[in-house]
Amino acid sequence: MRRPSERVAGTAGGASDPVRAASARVRRFTPAQRWVHRATATLMAVCVLTAGCLYLPFLAQLVGRRALMVTVHEWSGLLLSVPLLLGLASRALRTDLTRLNRYGPHDRRWLRSALRRGSDRPAGKFNAGQKLYAAWLAGAVLVMAGTGLLMWFTHLAPLLWRTGATFVHDWLALAVIVVVAGHVWRAYGDPEARRGMRTGTVDAAWARREHPLWEPEGEGKPGGEGQAERRVG
């Protein structure tokens, strides 16, 4: 049986360590951030499914109602950026957008290590792969919206422009499907990352292992993540 002094020391030592056990959890996403992600993912899924009904003959025959599919596809595409625009009211989301658009030497190290299948992958709240994915998808959505508008409102541009817009829209849509499928596949292979997006919290040990430069809210001093990234870089 442990002496009282040992029990007190053990309790104090455990309380002072914010990531003392595997069961400890830290906040990763706020409700607003999760809502933006879910709404955007839902609209993207609607876009992809309706596109399949428009371009794949067996789906077109199975579903029918082509005019309805066209309307749903057009409006879901136009609304795709709305959740993010509404989410800008969230300070946490604006902070994460800043993180996603900030690159450092540690991101180059992460990419080199990932390409070589190494284990030295320093990352803040978002790793280099997540940053590149977010940037590419944001650009692709803008291009898809622009080309889609030219296809929808035929009076906006001459035939040559509309033909080019159709070509870009179709092939970029295929690239988006492939990239988003890869994103879903990676998420499927990381249950803790999915839990973080579903509940807003992640296991502290996972956070230290996958995002060692990230200091969650309440862990350390404000701005610690940026300082840690500069030290590693």
Side-chain angles (χ1 to χ4, degrees):
M1 182 176 180
R2 297 168 61 186
R3 293 191 298 271
S5 59
E6 291 178 340
R7 290 198 298 270
V8 171
T11 302
S16 63
D17 185 358
V19 290
R20 63 188 177 279
S23 60
R25 304 193 67 77
V26 294
R27 173 70 63 182
R28 183 163 174 81
F29 298 114
T30 65
Q33 292 171 299
R34 303 201 308 275
W35 177 86
V36 169
H37 184 271
R38 291 170 185 170
T40 303
T42 299
L43 289 169
M44 178 64 75
V46 172
C47 278
V48 170
L49 292 175
T50 52
C53 294
L54 295 174
Y55 284 90
L56 300 177
F58 74 94
L59 283 180
Q61 294 177 3
L62 180 64
V63 177
R65 308 192 67 176
R66 181 178 178 85
L68 176 61
M69 293 296 101
V70 170
T71 301
V72 173
H73 182 76
E74 291 170 342
W75 283 103
S76 60
L78 283 180
L79 295 174
L80 196 56
S81 60
V82 171
L84 177 61
L85 294 176
L86 294 177
L88 291 176
S90 166
R91 181 178 179 182
L93 180 62
R94 295 196 303 272
T95 300
D96 276 357
L97 288 177
T98 300
R99 288 188 175 111
L100 284 169
N101 285 282
R102 181 180 296 156
Y103 294 84
H106 64 282
D107 291 312
R108 291 194 292 272
R109 284 179 54 187
W110 190 97
L111 286 172
R112 284 197 300 268
S113 182
L115 291 174
R116 298 169 182 173
R117 299 185 180 277
S119 58
D120 179 26
R121 302 186 184 185
K125 186 174 184 179
F126 302 104
N127 61 46
Q130 292 167 328
K131 293 177 180 180
L132 290 176
Y133 169 78
W136 186 88
L137 191 61
V141 167
L142 290 176
V143 174
M144 293 289 287
T147 53
L149 286 173
L150 291 178
M151 296 164 61
W152 187 1
F153 300 103
T154 56
H155 63 280
L156 292 178
L159 177 60
L160 181 61
W161 287 25
R162 299 199 305 271
T163 302
T166 302
F167 178 84
V168 172
H169 193 88
D170 291 352
W171 282 103
L172 186 56
L174 180 60
V176 167
I177 291 173
V178 172
V179 172
V180 170
H183 173 71
V184 173
W185 177 258
R186 293 291 299 175
Y188 180 79
D190 193 339
E192 193 59 35
R194 298 199 313 273
R195 190 175 296 112
M197 187 54 70
R198 188 174 65 252
T199 66
T201 63
V202 294
D203 181 75
W206 176 90
R208 285 184 298 170
R209 182 179 67 253
E210 300 294 334
H211 302 271
L213 305 183
W214 172 44
E215 291 188 4
E217 184 178 354
E219 309 279 336
K221 299 179 180 179
E225 178 182 334
Q227 294 170 2
E229 290 181 1
R230 286 193 292 272
R231 288 196 298 269
V232 171

